[in-house]
Amino acid sequence: MSTTLFRTFQPNQFSLLGTSLLRRRRSNNFSVRSCGSQTTTTHEAKQSSPTRVAPKNHKSNKLDEILRDYEAVIGIETHVQLSTLTKAFCSCSNNYGSYPNISICPVCMGLPGALPVLNSKVVEFGVRLGLALNCDLSLKSKFDRKQYFYPDLPKGYQISQFDIPIASGGYVDLDIPLEFGGGHRRFGITRVHMEEDAGKLLHSDTGDYSQVDLNRAGVPLLEIVSEPDMRSGIEAAEYACEMQRIARYLGVSNGNMQEGSLRCDVNISIRPIGQAEFGTKVEIKNLNAFSAISRAIDFEISRQALLYNQGKADEIVTETRLWEEGAQKTVTMRKKEGLADYRYFPEPDLPEVILTKEYVDSIRASLPELPEAKRRRYEAMGLGMQDVLFLANDVSVAEYFDAVIGKGAEVKLAANWIMSDIAAYLKNEKLSINDIKLTPHELAELIAAIKDGTISGKIGKEVSSLPFNNESSFVWINATFSIFADTV
Amino acid sequence: MLSTLQPPRSLSLLPLRRFQISKTIVSAASSKTIDTSVISPPQSQILTTRRSLLSGETTAVEIAKSYLSRIRLTEPQLKCFLHVSENVLKDAQEIDQRIAKGEELGPLAGVLIGVKDNICTQGMPSTAASRILEHYRPPFDATAVKKIKELGGIVVGKTNMDEFGMGSTTEASAFQVTANPWDLSRVPGGSSGGSAAAVAARQCMVSLGSDTGGSVRQPASFCGVVGLKPTYGRVSRFGLMAYASSLDVIGCFGSTVADAGMLLHAISGYDRFDSTSSKQDVPEFQSQFLSVDQFGSKPLNGVKVGIIRETLEDGVDSGVRSATQEAASHLEALGCVLTEVSLPSFSLGLPAYYVIASSESSSNLSRYDGVRYGNQVMAEELNKLYECSRGEGFGGEVKMRILMGTYALSAGYYDAYYKRAQQVRTLIRKDFKAALEQNDILISPAAPSAAYKIGEKKDDPLAMYAGDIMTVNVNLAGLPAMVLPCGLVEGGPSGLPVGLQMIGAAFDEEKLLKVGHIFEQTLKGSSFVPPLLANVA
């Protein structure tokens, strides 16, 4: 959980122009900053001044010039695995361990005669996410069957939503961190629909055989399809980051990318600036971190721009490419021969999903304050964007901060305490903010005590380092004050 | 609950009187007056069993033994069963023990029930008569089977059928061809041919079938038994291997209307494992089964019956037509008000049905891929595994329908086929609704002809599909319908039975059972017992 405290996305700050990958291959003297670090705080980020311009040599200059003539068009399909107790269409536990095929039943195994029964939580989560993304909800939606053969797909079709998704036509607002240029963005959301996950194939080391693990089969997903509104790797990564944040704020998913609870497939094409038509679209899969999204897109932009520039635009084909983390490049996974025909048709085993206005209203009323609203509120309190983004990034941190200022602590001081001392402590101890014993009330008292001169800031910091990991209470911390006062 | 029934006239377990017919076309309802003196009406086997068990006249084991011995005698010729349970006597013993201890008996205690092979029975082979599921034993009971067992019913075995329910003759079984007990050279109908023939031959008392486009009603007509297709949603489909999910229903066979009705009552009701099952209340059908001497002179006075004009036009055998018309006369004699109704969309049903059923089946049968269960052919490569497992596992008819359905759902064809078929479906539903607002029930033949010869239509699928014309519309509309024997036509050693189809409004099985029961109990010479059985007896 320690990873959730801080902004989880810290891509290479020098790769804004999407050229670093190619450059890195060519020059030995260019070192890429650690990109995978998930615990880099904005505190640290502040110290290294945001740089928009990468160190240059002649080659990169040339590539940059090429890139300047093209615009990337990026859309993202995000699969959010829902943290329901049971699967989407059966009563199997959705919380399976590492052993294969322990959380399965006739329904999710696709045995003859078994029928799906919709888990109402999936609808609730769909509505929550749909509302959070400012979508129009379909009061009457339905499920469809998406048909294809694969050993991890027990029924030979995936229960999904085709022409009438539960939510559509929304948008998401986000702020680009200052170190990436800053600015506010609004990206369109085409649709949100409910579907089920497939199982997993386990391939033998020798490659002689594969085994099927159906624990994941039937786990509920929400697929979020964005409009092709993003123009850079940074924007795409920030969009994905915001999806994770919203899912966590809403409590619909743990949003963990490594575990596959949040999966992003990127569609990208480039076109000469000024051209209205889209270029040939390439899909990138296997993006297991936000930094991978950013870098894969930047790589892909460079690759496609170079092909355009060399007059080889016809070598850009509709295909699915895999991001190879080790090699830091995308490679062809499969070329699409025409459009895949999934032969969608309405799922006859499930009735239509009917939402009443009252139901939607009750869910709307129960929505928490969402990241965008929090950011705007923090901003209005006078906090700088760095602080705003830090505090609103993680819902637990935001709640902690809100609780501290709720107890009367001064906003700026509370923000500084959380972002510096507490953050550093949590990072060292690899804890999340939920693990610390210092209650918001105590922190508020501490801040007040320092402010009115009861104790000095220096002592305050010493004090605060004690109670984090001890059983503490307000009474106890007051006692500590007096002890410190005595000894000092 | 069962008290409304009079004690039977005869206590014999099996009404094995043979109905003598002349060589001319037999009119079963030639008399306008109700005359039941010639032959006593058929008795419910479920109630007879119950009474004889409760009175101590016989034991469940004795009854089971007599049925098992009849199976042994007739099965080599008929081939109704794909599997006969080894637990029948053990289950019967348990019933007897309950009786000995004075414990309460379920309404189906000791009742021997055949189950169509596409309905899952825990630990008992359930293959849908397909090679792809050969030796497959499900880990769970279908909800209908579970309910039957809870009420004391004994599953005798699994009955033969057309593979996955696709066919009208039971010839499309991967394992054996079932013969019609009325004439061994003829088909029993299908796809629930095994279930119908087993009841006709008294190999079991009642049986479960499934009806997607007439698969309960047409074999009931061919075998001279009662076949009841409930409203879509009345009976849980959980555990029924899907053919066409939006059309499939589990249905009941019995040698009397009362038996079919009581079996339906046992398996009906909402099931949380089937989202398409209905929460509609299940009435006590039994109260409809009055005994003959409780009937008034016009027991069906004022019941409005619509005879569907389009079902008596060209393409229907003259014998079937006259049997239907005489059945209608019989209903009139009972007090019904008969009118002719027209369903303008009637002829559109058959093509729409085949598009929808094939489309859904192409999807439903995708799970039989050889990966997790059933027939798996070892292959070097994934697509080969699918190809060979399915290629060898499925029979010709199934492959044809999968191909048709895949085609109909393909991009560019969806609107022309599947979508249009759904529009036709809406039209048919509307026409039925209008006709059933004017009438209590609608009647028609169950099939254009009586049972035909084995092999006669095997190589002519279109001719076979055309035979479903009377029944498919009812599935498209999701309505309940019952077929009951109404007469015999020439053919076979002692005539061939013809069934009358009664169609009711949604969830109004009660009315069908009421009308059907009175019709049956008052039909002159109404024991439809096949000759084979008379010989065995």
Coordinates of all heavy atoms in Angstrom, one line a residue, chain B residues 211 216-217 227-237 240 245-252 264-265 267-270 274 276-283 285 425 429 436 474-482 502-513:
Chain B
D211 N -38.5 -28.4 -25.0 CA -39.2 -27.9 -26.2 C -38.7 -26.6 -26.6 O -38.8 -25.6 -25.9 CB -40.7 -27.8 -25.8 CG -41.6 -27.6 -27.0 OD1 -41.2 -26.8 -27.9 OD2 -42.7 -28.3 -27.1
V216 N -41.4 -31.2 -27.5 CA -42.2 -32.0 -26.5 C -43.5 -32.3 -27.2 O -44.0 -33.5 -27.2 CB -42.5 -31.2 -25.2 CG1 -43.6 -31.8 -24.5 CG2 -41.2 -31.2 -24.3
R217 N -44.1 -31.3 -27.9 CA -45.4 -31.5 -28.4 C -45.5 -32.4 -29.6 O -46.4 -33.3 -29.7 CB -46.0 -30.1 -28.8 CG -46.3 -29.3 -27.5 CD -46.4 -27.8 -27.8 NE -45.1 -27.3 -28.1 CZ -44.9 -26.2 -28.9 NH1 -45.9 -25.6 -29.4 NH2 -43.7 -25.7 -29.1
G227 N -48.2 -34.1 -24.0 CA -47.0 -33.3 -23.9 C -47.3 -31.9 -23.5 O -48.2 -31.2 -24.2
L228 N -46.7 -31.4 -22.5 CA -47.0 -30.1 -22.0 C -45.8 -29.2 -22.1 O -44.8 -29.4 -21.4 CB -47.5 -30.2 -20.5 CG -47.9 -28.9 -19.8 CD1 -48.9 -28.1 -20.6 CD2 -48.5 -29.3 -18.4
K229 N -45.9 -28.1 -22.9 CA -44.8 -27.1 -22.9 C -45.3 -25.9 -22.2 O -46.2 -25.2 -22.5 CB -44.6 -26.7 -24.4 CG -43.6 -25.6 -24.6 CD -44.2 -24.5 -25.5 CE -43.2 -23.3 -25.6 NZ -43.4 -22.3 -24.5
P230 N -44.6 -25.6 -21.0 CA -45.1 -24.5 -20.2 C -44.7 -23.1 -20.8 O -43.9 -23.1 -21.8 CB -44.4 -24.7 -18.9 CG -43.2 -25.6 -19.2 CD -43.5 -26.3 -20.4
T231 N -45.2 -22.1 -20.2 CA -44.8 -20.7 -20.6 C -43.3 -20.6 -20.4 O -42.7 -21.1 -19.4 CB -45.5 -19.7 -19.7 OG1 -46.9 -20.1 -19.6 CG2 -45.3 -18.3 -20.2
Y232 N -42.6 -19.8 -21.3 CA -41.2 -19.6 -21.1 C -41.0 -18.9 -19.8 O -41.7 -17.9 -19.5 CB -40.7 -18.7 -22.3 CG -39.2 -18.4 -22.2 CD1 -38.3 -19.3 -22.7 CD2 -38.7 -17.3 -21.6 CE1 -36.9 -19.1 -22.6 CE2 -37.3 -17.0 -21.5 CZ -36.5 -18.0 -22.0 OH -35.1 -17.8 -21.9
G233 N -40.1 -19.4 -19.0 CA -39.9 -18.8 -17.6 C -40.6 -19.5 -16.5 O -40.4 -19.3 -15.3
R234 N -41.6 -20.4 -16.8 CA -42.3 -21.1 -15.8 C -41.4 -22.1 -15.1 O -41.5 -22.2 -13.9 CB -43.5 -21.8 -16.4 CG -44.4 -22.6 -15.5 CD -45.1 -21.7 -14.4 NE -46.4 -21.4 -14.7 CZ -47.2 -20.6 -14.0 NH1 -46.7 -20.0 -12.9 NH2 -48.4 -20.4 -14.3
V235 N -40.6 -22.7 -15.9 CA -39.7 -23.8 -15.3 C -38.3 -23.3 -15.5 O -37.9 -22.8 -16.5 CB -39.9 -25.1 -16.0 CG1 -39.0 -26.2 -15.5 CG2 -41.4 -25.6 -15.9
S236 N -37.5 -23.4 -14.4 CA -36.1 -23.0 -14.5 C -35.3 -23.8 -15.6 O -35.5 -25.0 -15.7 CB -35.4 -23.3 -13.2 OG -34.0 -23.2 -13.3
R237 N -34.5 -23.1 -16.4 CA -33.7 -23.8 -17.4 C -32.3 -24.2 -16.8 O -31.5 -24.7 -17.5 CB -33.5 -22.9 -18.6 CG -34.7 -22.6 -19.4 CD -34.4 -21.8 -20.6 NE -33.9 -20.5 -20.3 CZ -32.7 -20.0 -20.6 NH1 -31.8 -20.7 -21.2 NH2 -32.4 -18.8 -20.3
L240 N -30.5 -27.3 -17.9 CA -30.9 -27.7 -19.3 C -29.8 -27.3 -20.2 O -29.5 -26.1 -20.3 CB -32.2 -27.1 -19.6 CG -32.7 -27.3 -21.1 CD1 -32.9 -28.7 -21.5 CD2 -33.9 -26.4 -21.4
S245 N -31.5 -20.5 -26.1 CA -31.8 -20.0 -24.8 C -33.1 -19.2 -24.7 O -33.9 -19.3 -23.7 CB -30.7 -19.1 -24.2 OG -29.5 -19.8 -24.4
S246 N -33.5 -18.5 -25.7 CA -34.7 -17.6 -25.6 C -35.9 -18.4 -26.0 O -37.0 -17.9 -25.9 CB -34.5 -16.4 -26.5 OG -34.7 -16.8 -27.9
L247 N -35.7 -19.7 -26.4 CA -36.9 -20.5 -26.8 C -37.0 -21.8 -25.9 O -38.1 -22.3 -25.8 CB -36.7 -20.9 -28.3 CG -36.6 -19.8 -29.3 CD1 -36.0 -20.4 -30.6 CD2 -37.9 -19.1 -29.5
D248 N -35.9 -22.2 -25.4 CA -35.9 -23.5 -24.6 C -36.8 -23.5 -23.4 O -36.8 -22.5 -22.6 CB -34.5 -23.8 -24.1 CG -33.5 -24.1 -25.2 OD1 -33.9 -24.4 -26.3 OD2 -32.3 -24.0 -24.8
V249 N -37.6 -24.5 -23.3 CA -38.3 -24.7 -22.0 C -38.2 -26.2 -21.7 O -38.2 -27.0 -22.6 CB -39.8 -24.3 -22.0 CG1 -39.9 -22.8 -22.0 CG2 -40.5 -24.9 -23.1
I250 N -38.3 -26.5 -20.4 CA -38.4 -27.9 -20.0 C -39.9 -28.2 -20.0 O -40.7 -27.5 -19.5 CB -37.7 -28.2 -18.6 CG1 -36.2 -28.1 -18.7 CG2 -38.1 -29.6 -18.1 CD1 -35.5 -28.3 -17.4
G251 N -40.3 -29.4 -20.6 CA -41.7 -29.7 -20.6 C -41.9 -31.1 -20.1 O -41.0 -31.8 -19.7
C252 N -43.2 -31.5 -20.0 CA -43.6 -32.7 -19.3 C -44.4 -33.7 -20.2 O -45.2 -33.2 -21.0 CB -44.5 -32.4 -18.1 SG -43.7 -31.2 -17.0
L264 N -45.6 -30.9 -14.0 CA -45.3 -29.5 -14.2 C -45.3 -28.7 -12.9 O -44.4 -27.9 -12.7 CB -46.3 -28.9 -15.2 CG -46.0 -27.3 -15.5 CD1 -44.7 -27.1 -16.1 CD2 -47.1 -26.7 -16.3
H265 N -46.3 -29.0 -12.1 CA -46.4 -28.3 -10.9 C -45.2 -28.5 -10.0 O -44.7 -27.6 -9.4 CB -47.7 -28.8 -10.1 CG -47.9 -28.0 -8.9 ND1 -47.5 -28.3 -7.6 CD2 -48.5 -26.8 -8.7 CE1 -47.8 -27.4 -6.7 NE2 -48.5 -26.4 -7.4
I267 N -42.1 -29.0 -11.0 CA -40.9 -28.4 -11.4 C -41.0 -26.9 -11.7 O -40.0 -26.3 -12.0 CB -40.4 -29.1 -12.7 CG1 -41.4 -28.9 -13.9 CG2 -40.1 -30.6 -12.5 CD1 -40.9 -29.4 -15.2
S268 N -42.2 -26.4 -11.5 CA -42.4 -25.0 -11.8 C -41.8 -24.0 -10.7 O -41.6 -24.5 -9.6 CB -43.9 -24.7 -12.0 OG -44.3 -25.2 -13.2
G269 N -41.7 -22.8 -11.0 CA -41.4 -21.8 -10.0 C -40.1 -21.1 -10.3 O -39.2 -21.5 -11.0
Y270 N -40.0 -19.9 -9.6 CA -38.8 -19.1 -9.8 C -37.6 -19.8 -9.3 O -37.6 -20.5 -8.2 CB -39.0 -17.8 -9.0 CG -37.8 -16.9 -9.0 CD1 -37.3 -16.3 -10.1 CD2 -37.1 -16.8 -7.8 CE1 -36.2 -15.5 -10.1 CE2 -35.9 -16.0 -7.7 CZ -35.5 -15.4 -8.9 OH -34.3 -14.6 -8.8
D274 N -31.7 -19.1 -12.5 CA -32.1 -18.8 -13.8 C -32.7 -17.4 -13.9 O -33.9 -17.3 -13.4 CB -33.0 -19.9 -14.4 CG -33.5 -19.5 -15.8 OD1 -33.1 -18.5 -16.4 OD2 -34.4 -20.3 -16.3
T276 N -34.0 -15.9 -16.2 CA -35.2 -15.8 -17.0 C -36.4 -16.5 -16.5 O -37.4 -16.6 -17.1 CB -34.9 -16.3 -18.5 OG1 -34.5 -17.7 -18.4 CG2 -33.7 -15.5 -19.1
S277 N -36.2 -17.1 -15.3 CA -37.4 -17.8 -14.7 C -38.3 -16.8 -14.1 O -37.8 -15.7 -13.6 CB -36.9 -18.9 -13.7 OG -36.4 -18.3 -12.5
S278 N -39.5 -17.1 -14.0 CA -40.5 -16.1 -13.6 C -40.9 -16.2 -12.2 O -40.9 -17.3 -11.6 CB -41.8 -16.3 -14.5 OG -42.9 -15.5 -13.9
K279 N -41.2 -15.1 -11.6 CA -41.7 -15.1 -10.2 C -43.2 -15.2 -10.1 O -43.7 -15.2 -9.0 CB -41.2 -13.8 -9.5 CG -39.7 -13.8 -9.3 CD -39.2 -12.6 -8.5 CE -37.8 -12.7 -8.2 NZ -37.1 -11.5 -7.9
Q280 N -43.8 -15.4 -11.2 CA -45.3 -15.6 -11.3 C -45.7 -16.8 -10.4 O -45.0 -17.8 -10.3 CB -45.7 -15.9 -12.7 CG -47.1 -15.8 -13.0 CD -47.4 -14.4 -13.7 OE1 -46.5 -13.7 -14.1 NE2 -48.6 -14.0 -13.7
D281 N -46.8 -16.6 -9.6 CA -47.2 -17.7 -8.8 C -47.6 -18.9 -9.6 O -48.0 -18.9 -10.7 CB -48.5 -17.2 -8.0 CG -48.1 -16.3 -6.9 OD1 -47.0 -16.4 -6.5 OD2 -49.0 -15.6 -6.4
V282 N -47.3 -20.1 -9.0 CA -47.7 -21.4 -9.6 C -49.0 -21.8 -8.9 O -49.0 -22.2 -7.7 CB -46.6 -22.4 -9.4 CG1 -46.9 -23.7 -10.1 CG2 -45.3 -21.9 -9.9
P283 N -50.1 -21.8 -9.7 CA -51.4 -22.3 -9.0 C -51.4 -23.8 -8.8 O -50.6 -24.5 -9.4 CB -52.4 -21.8 -10.0 CG -51.7 -21.7 -11.3 CD -50.3 -21.5 -11.1
F285 N -52.6 -26.7 -9.9 CA -53.3 -27.2 -11.1 C -54.2 -28.3 -10.7 O -55.2 -28.6 -11.4 CB -52.2 -27.8 -12.1 CG -51.2 -26.8 -12.6 CD1 -49.9 -27.1 -12.6 CD2 -51.6 -25.5 -12.9 CE1 -48.9 -26.2 -13.1 CE2 -50.6 -24.6 -13.4 CZ -49.3 -25.0 -13.4
R425 N -40.7 -12.1 -34.8 CA -41.1 -12.7 -33.5 C -42.0 -11.7 -32.8 O -43.0 -12.2 -32.2 CB -39.8 -12.9 -32.7 CG -40.0 -13.6 -31.4 CD -38.7 -13.9 -30.7 NE -38.9 -14.8 -29.6 CZ -37.9 -15.3 -28.9 NH1 -36.7 -15.1 -29.1 NH2 -38.3 -16.1 -27.8
R429 N -45.9 -12.6 -31.7 CA -46.3 -12.4 -30.3 C -47.6 -11.5 -30.3 O -48.5 -11.8 -29.6 CB -45.2 -11.8 -29.5 CG -45.2 -12.0 -28.1 CD -44.0 -11.4 -27.4 NE -42.8 -12.3 -27.4 CZ -41.6 -11.9 -27.4 NH1 -41.3 -10.6 -27.3 NH2 -40.6 -12.8 -27.4
L436 N -55.7 -14.4 -28.4 CA -55.9 -14.9 -27.1 C -56.7 -13.9 -26.2 O -57.2 -14.2 -25.1 CB -54.6 -15.3 -26.4 CG -54.1 -16.7 -26.9 CD1 -52.6 -16.8 -26.5 CD2 -54.9 -17.8 -26.4
V474 N -45.4 -21.0 -31.2 CA -45.7 -20.9 -29.8 C -44.4 -20.6 -29.0 O -44.4 -19.9 -28.0 CB -46.3 -22.2 -29.3 CG1 -46.5 -22.2 -27.8 CG2 -47.6 -22.5 -30.1
N475 N -43.3 -21.2 -29.4 CA -42.0 -20.9 -28.7 C -41.6 -19.5 -29.0 O -41.1 -18.8 -28.1 CB -40.9 -21.8 -29.2 CG -41.2 -23.3 -28.9 OD1 -42.0 -23.9 -29.6 ND2 -40.6 -23.8 -27.8
L476 N -41.8 -19.0 -30.2 CA -41.4 -17.6 -30.5 C -42.2 -16.7 -29.6 O -41.7 -15.6 -29.2 CB -41.6 -17.3 -32.0 CG -40.7 -18.0 -32.9 CD1 -41.1 -17.8 -34.4 CD2 -39.2 -17.5 -32.8
A477 N -43.4 -17.0 -29.3 CA -44.3 -16.2 -28.5 C -44.1 -16.5 -27.0 O -44.6 -15.7 -26.1 CB -45.7 -16.3 -28.9
G478 N -43.4 -17.6 -26.7 CA -43.2 -17.9 -25.3 C -44.4 -18.5 -24.5 O -44.4 -18.5 -23.3
L479 N -45.4 -18.9 -25.3 CA -46.7 -19.2 -24.7 C -46.7 -20.7 -24.2 O -46.0 -21.5 -24.7 CB -47.9 -19.0 -25.7 CG -48.0 -17.6 -26.2 CD1 -49.1 -17.5 -27.2 CD2 -48.4 -16.7 -25.0
P480 N -47.7 -21.1 -23.3 CA -47.8 -22.5 -22.9 C -48.7 -23.2 -24.0 O -49.6 -22.6 -24.5 CB -48.5 -22.4 -21.6 CG -49.4 -21.1 -21.7 CD -48.6 -20.2 -22.6
A481 N -48.4 -24.4 -24.2 CA -49.2 -25.2 -25.1 C -49.2 -26.7 -24.6 O -48.2 -27.1 -24.0 CB -48.7 -25.1 -26.5
M482 N -50.3 -27.4 -24.9 CA -50.3 -28.8 -24.6 C -50.8 -29.6 -25.8 O -51.7 -29.1 -26.5 CB -51.3 -29.0 -23.4 CG -51.4 -30.4 -22.9 SD -52.2 -30.5 -21.3 CE -53.8 -30.0 -21.7
M502 N -53.3 -27.4 -27.9 CA -54.0 -26.3 -27.3 C -53.0 -25.3 -26.8 O -52.1 -25.6 -26.1 CB -54.8 -26.8 -26.0 CG -55.9 -27.9 -26.3 SD -56.6 -28.4 -24.8 CE -57.9 -29.5 -25.4
I503 N -53.3 -24.0 -27.2 CA -52.4 -22.9 -26.8 C -53.1 -22.0 -25.9 O -54.2 -21.6 -26.2 CB -51.9 -22.2 -28.1 CG1 -51.3 -23.2 -29.1 CG2 -50.9 -21.1 -27.8 CD1 -51.2 -22.7 -30.5
G504 N -52.4 -21.6 -24.8 CA -53.0 -20.7 -23.9 C -52.3 -19.4 -23.8 O -51.2 -19.2 -24.4
A505 N -52.9 -18.5 -23.0 CA -52.2 -17.2 -22.7 C -51.0 -17.5 -21.8 O -51.0 -18.5 -21.1 CB -53.2 -16.2 -22.1
A506 N -50.1 -16.6 -21.8 CA -48.9 -16.7 -20.9 C -49.3 -17.0 -19.5 O -50.1 -16.3 -18.9 CB -48.0 -15.5 -21.0
F507 N -48.7 -18.0 -18.9 CA -48.8 -18.4 -17.5 C -50.2 -18.9 -17.2 O -50.6 -19.0 -16.1 CB -48.4 -17.3 -16.6 CG -46.9 -17.0 -16.7 CD1 -46.5 -15.8 -17.4 CD2 -46.0 -17.8 -16.2 CE1 -45.2 -15.5 -17.5 CE2 -44.6 -17.5 -16.3 CZ -44.2 -16.4 -17.0
D508 N -51.0 -19.2 -18.3 CA -52.3 -19.8 -18.0 C -52.3 -21.3 -18.3 O -53.2 -21.7 -19.0 CB -53.4 -19.0 -18.8 CG -54.8 -19.2 -18.2 OD1 -54.9 -19.9 -17.2 OD2 -55.8 -18.8 -18.8
E509 N -51.4 -22.0 -17.8 CA -51.4 -23.4 -18.0 C -52.6 -24.1 -17.4 O -53.1 -25.1 -17.8 CB -50.1 -24.1 -17.3 CG -48.8 -23.8 -18.1 CD -48.1 -22.5 -17.7 OE1 -48.7 -21.8 -16.9 OE2 -47.0 -22.3 -18.2
E510 N -53.1 -23.4 -16.3 CA -54.2 -23.9 -15.6 C -55.4 -24.2 -16.5 O -56.1 -25.2 -16.4 CB -54.6 -22.9 -14.5 CG -55.3 -23.5 -13.4 CD -55.6 -22.4 -12.3 OE1 -55.1 -21.2 -12.5 OE2 -56.2 -22.8 -11.3
K511 N -55.7 -23.2 -17.4 CA -56.8 -23.3 -18.3 C -56.6 -24.5 -19.3 O -57.5 -25.3 -19.6 CB -57.1 -22.0 -19.1 CG -58.4 -22.0 -19.7 CD -58.7 -20.6 -20.2 CE -59.1 -19.6 -19.1 NZ -58.8 -18.2 -19.5
L512 N -55.4 -24.6 -19.8 CA -55.0 -25.7 -20.7 C -55.3 -27.0 -20.0 O -55.8 -28.0 -20.6 CB -53.6 -25.6 -21.1 CG -53.1 -24.5 -22.0 CD1 -51.7 -24.6 -22.3 CD2 -53.9 -24.5 -23.3
L513 N -54.9 -27.1 -18.8 CA -55.0 -28.4 -18.0 C -56.5 -28.7 -17.8 O -56.9 -29.8 -17.9 CB -54.2 -28.3 -16.7 CG -52.7 -28.3 -16.9 CD1 -52.0 -27.9 -15.6 CD2 -52.2 -29.7 -17.4

